[in-house]
Amino acid sequence: MSPIALSLTLIFVLIPLLLSRTLNLGLEKDTIVATIRSIIQLFAVGYILKFVFDSDSYLYILLMIALMIFAAVHNASKKGKAIPGILWKITVTIIAVEVLTQAILLGFGIVPATAQYIIPISGMVVGNSMVLSILFLNRFTSEMESQKNRTELILSLGGTPKQAVHTQLTDAIKASTIPTIESQKTMGLVQLPGMMSGQIIAGADPVQAVQFQLLILFLLLTTAVVSSILLGFLSYPSLFNERMQMIRQTNS
Amino acid sequence: MTTYEPAIHFKDVRYSIDENPIIGPITGSFPAGRITTLVGPSGAGKTTVLKLCNGLISADSGEILVEGKPVGSMEPTALRRKVGMALQDAPMVNGSVYDNLALPLRLQKKEISEDEAVSWLEDVGLSSDYLHKKASELSGGQRQKVSIARTLVNRSDILLMDEITSALDRASRREIESLITRINQKYGTTIIWITHNLEQAISIGDYTWVLIAGELVETGESRILEDPADERVRRFVKGELQ
Ligand SMILES: Nc1ncnc2c1ncn2[C@@H]1O[C@H](COP(=O)(O)OP(=O)(O)OP(=O)(O)O)[C@@H](O)[C@H]1O
Ligand SMILES: [Mg+2]
């Protein structure tokens, strides 16, 4: 894209700004901040990626992935404050999912072990694992809150914490993974997936683009299911003490 | 005055939530093989006392002994099966009435036969027609009955009943009262029964605890409620204290 064409894309920022101003929506400040941040962040990433690709050093690849994981954990852990030790639980979850998926991809030689493949795929895995963690935590904490008396019932009848949270846990796991599964059903019908669109615009063969998109879709299925199950089994024990009592959440 | 062997004994028990004292210090006993009724105004801490007895919560200080053993030394699931509880709001798990009656045993990887489930249902005054009804479609009173039956399935040595007849009509209440009395007499089960109905507290109770604002203000044979010594209990019985 020529620099002039790139600058002209700012028209798409001006439209919401003008509308917001005339209709008093008060979105101007956020829009400007979002625009500036996206320009800086994406260019920074672009140059960093270029550097990493050129250097072709596994150290930089690892560093890059560590950075992604750090940002993802930071983001997701804001949602699970009610669960003690949530920070390291999300860290373990995301790292485990990343290691598992890369092990399969590289181990079976599905993609070449180069930065060009490892980094973008890691980005999608880590990003989706983060989103799933957030979805799961939202659902799980609200299930636990609304089903408190059932949890107490099962404990009172001599059940273990695991038995007491079983329904809430599986409901939260299902609810958080269903959107991923559902969205695959309409894939390609309603909208072209972003990655595939990007590849096609950049000049790739559409069938080739489809093949990669399928790889990513299947990868994200594993990411979704493994993330929420792992996080679920890591989180529930910290809601109980060693006397198998519900720990009161101080939500002040 | 008769002395009883305690099934559960509280010694200087205190319990607080977020630094707010809820209970205590309480010292007192629930006599073994007897029916103790636990009365007091709303929010006095009655439910809290029951939850302390079966280890759903732990005291901040003091000691609770179940048949002479500190509750803290007992395995929680074993304690809760030994000291069974019917919760105040009679919560149900998803599924049928049968699923709910089967729950206590399923938690131990055992099953209950339909015949056995029906006989528990009949004990609490529900016909076998209810067995496959959805638990979520029961009325408040029917839920209480299922909840009582479900608690009985564990055949506990000590039963904690938290307002189990509050939603029942007169006839159903009588039926439950005679069922619990029968269990008490037949198996020597110790019963601790919270009720807001003072007539019931006197008629079914051998012994009574009066709890006001987290304090055990009076204990003794249930007829103490007919002519209480303590001024606060007097006002509570007259309905002047809430
Ligand atoms: N989870 C909780 N969080 C905060 N406060 C609580 C909690 N559970 C109980 N309390 C407080 O403890 C006190 C005693 O409650 P408890 O349920 O034992 O009363 P109760 O005597 O059973 O009342 P009721 O007759 O209404 O059932 C109340 O003031 C209540 O507000
Ligand atoms: Mg209560």
Side-chain angles (χ1 to χ4, degrees):
Chain A
M1 223 191 302
S2 70
I4 294 177
L6 187 60
S7 324
L8 285 175
T9 58
L10 286 175
I11 293 173
F12 295 115
V13 177
L14 283 176
I15 293 173
L17 278 180
L18 283 174
L19 286 175
S20 172
R21 171 61 59 84
T22 35
L23 295 177
N24 255 329
L25 300 180
L27 297 175
E28 296 96 313
K29 197 172 157 234
D30 276 336
T31 311
I32 293 173
V33 170
T35 306
I36 294 174
R37 277 190 61 163
S38 59
I39 293 173
I40 297 174
Q41 285 165 203
L42 284 178
F43 270 112
V45 167
Y47 284 112
I48 292 173
L49 284 179
K50 200 166 149 54
F51 171 75
V52 173
F53 288 1
D54 290 346
S55 77
D56 215 13
S57 145
Y58 283 107
L59 182 70
Y60 287 126
I61 297 179
L62 276 179
L63 218 61
M64 186 85 198
I65 293 172
L67 202 70
M68 289 174 186
I69 293 176
F70 178 81
V73 168
H74 176 74
N75 218 343
S77 60
K78 286 187 234 158
K79 302 290 170 186
K81 292 233 173 75
I83 297 169
I86 195 61
L87 194 76
W88 76 261
K89 283 165 191 172
I90 296 175
T91 310
V92 169
T93 301
I94 296 183
I95 291 178
V97 172
E98 165 70 4
V99 168
L100 172 75
T101 51
Q102 290 298 333
I104 295 170
L105 286 171
L106 302 177
F108 286 108
I110 299 172
V111 298
T114 61
Q116 189 199 342
Y117 288 92
I118 296 175
I119 289 178
I121 292 177
S122 295
M124 281 184 262
V125 168
V126 170
N128 272 272
S129 185
M130 174 192 81
V131 170
L132 257 293
S133 298
I134 293 173
L135 282 178
F136 171 80
L137 288 174
N138 277 341
R139 184 63 185 241
F140 186 53
T141 44
S142 79
E143 285 280 326
M144 285 304 293
E145 187 59 40
S146 67
Q147 306 288 338
K148 228 183 218 163
N149 56 2
R150 286 192 192 164
T151 311
E152 187 162 64
L153 168 70
I154 291 176
L155 292 178
S156 79
L157 291 171
T160 60
K162 190 174 171 185
Q163 290 171 322
V165 298
H166 184 263
T167 313
Q168 295 88 312
L169 195 59
T170 49
D171 282 356
I173 290 172
K174 271 192 242 164
S176 55
T177 51
I178 279 173
T180 305
I181 298 168
E182 283 302 312
S183 74
Q184 293 204 3
K185 291 187 186 160
T186 54
M187 196 54 75
L189 298 178
V190 181
Q191 58 167 0
L192 292 180
M195 189 195 83
M196 201 172 109
S197 313
Q199 273 189 294
I200 294 172
I201 291 170
D205 167 24
V207 176
Q208 176 102 48
V210 163
Q211 289 171 353
F212 266 104
Q213 189 63 51
L214 281 178
L215 164 74
I216 298 299
L217 287 184
F218 300 157
L219 190 62
L220 295 188
L221 271 185
T222 288
T223 302
V225 176
V226 175
S227 297
S228 59
I229 291 178
L230 195 56
L231 189 56
F233 281 90
L234 287 175
S235 339
Y236 87 79
S238 50
L239 301 174
F240 299 86
N241 64 20
E242 75 294 342
R243 294 294 302 159
M244 300 193 185
Q245 297 163 343
M246 278 192 272
I247 295 176
R248 274 178 38 78
Q249 304 303 329
T250 41
N251 22 326
S252 49
Chain B
M1 215 178 142
T2 339
T3 51
Y4 302 106
E5 179 82 4
I8 299 184
H9 181 70
F10 277 50
K11 207 163 95 191
D12 287 325
V13 172
R14 283 174 204 265
Y15 178 77
S16 51
I17 294 176
D18 302 335
E19 330 260 286
N20 299 316
I22 305 287
I23 290 286
I26 284 184
T27 298
S29 293
F30 294 105
R34 301 280 163 162
I35 298 179
T36 301
T37 49
L38 179 48
V39 298
S42 295
K46 303 180 296 297
T47 300
T48 307
V49 165
L50 294 200
K51 287 181 179 174
L52 286 165
C53 291
N54 76 348
L56 278 177
I57 53 177
S58 291
D60 297 336
S61 64
E63 201 167 34
I64 299 172
L65 304 172
V66 171
E67 293 177 354
K69 274 191 281 177
V71 281
S73 71
M74 300 166 84
E75 208 275 316
T77 57
L79 169 65
R80 288 165 196 165
R81 280 198 274 270
K82 183 181 182 60
V83 185
M85 178 164 180
L87 297 171
Q88 184 163 10
D89 41 8
M92 294 286 125
V93 291
N94 291 335
S96 63
V97 167
Y98 174 75
D99 290 323
N100 274 275
L101 293 174
L103 181 63
L105 294 180
R106 281 185 183 161
L107 295 173
Q108 306 175 62
K109 313 266 184 300
K110 293 185 216 155
E111 275 298 326
I112 186 174
S113 71
E114 291 211 358
D115 289 345
E116 205 181 328
V118 167
S119 93
W120 285 116
L121 271 188
E122 285 168 349
D123 278 349
V124 293
L126 288 174
S127 75
S128 57
D129 301 342
Y130 283 92
L131 197 61
H132 296 292
K133 225 175 161 40
K134 269 176 138 178
S136 55
E137 288 167 1
L138 297 175
S139 74
Q142 291 164 343
R143 241 187 24 237
Q144 277 192 332
K145 291 179 180 178
V146 173
S147 162
I148 295 165
R150 187 178 56 194
T151 302
L152 298 179
V153 170
N154 268 337
R155 298 178 195 274
S156 307
D157 297 332
I158 300 171
L159 283 175
L160 313 174
M161 312 260 103
D162 198 346
E163 294 189 42
I164 54 170
T165 59
S166 61
L168 300 186
D169 60 76
R170 223 176 141 76
S172 301
R173 202 176 67 221
R174 286 275 153 75
E175 201 167 0
I176 297 300
E177 287 171 358
S178 73
L179 169 69
I180 302 296
T181 312
R182 240 176 16 247
I183 290 173
N184 164 253
Q185 282 163 1
K186 190 165 166 198
Y187 303 104
T189 310
T190 303
I191 315 282
I192 306 173
W193 190 327
I194 294 176
T195 177
H196 276 289
N197 181 334
L198 292 179
E199 252 171 70
Q200 187 184 38
I202 296 169
S203 69
I204 57 164
D206 301 310
Y207 201 77
T208 292
W209 275 33
V210 185
L211 208 63
I212 294 176
E215 247 184 274
L216 182 55
V217 291
E218 196 150 345
T219 60
E221 310 213 348
S222 299
R223 56 188 150 72
I224 55 167
L225 291 174
E226 287 165 0
D227 186 21
D230 187 283
E231 177 56 26
R232 280 173 298 174
V233 181
R234 201 174 271 281
R235 286 176 55 212
F236 165 66
V237 169
K238 278 202 227 151
E240 292 171 1
L241 193 77
Q242 30 173 283

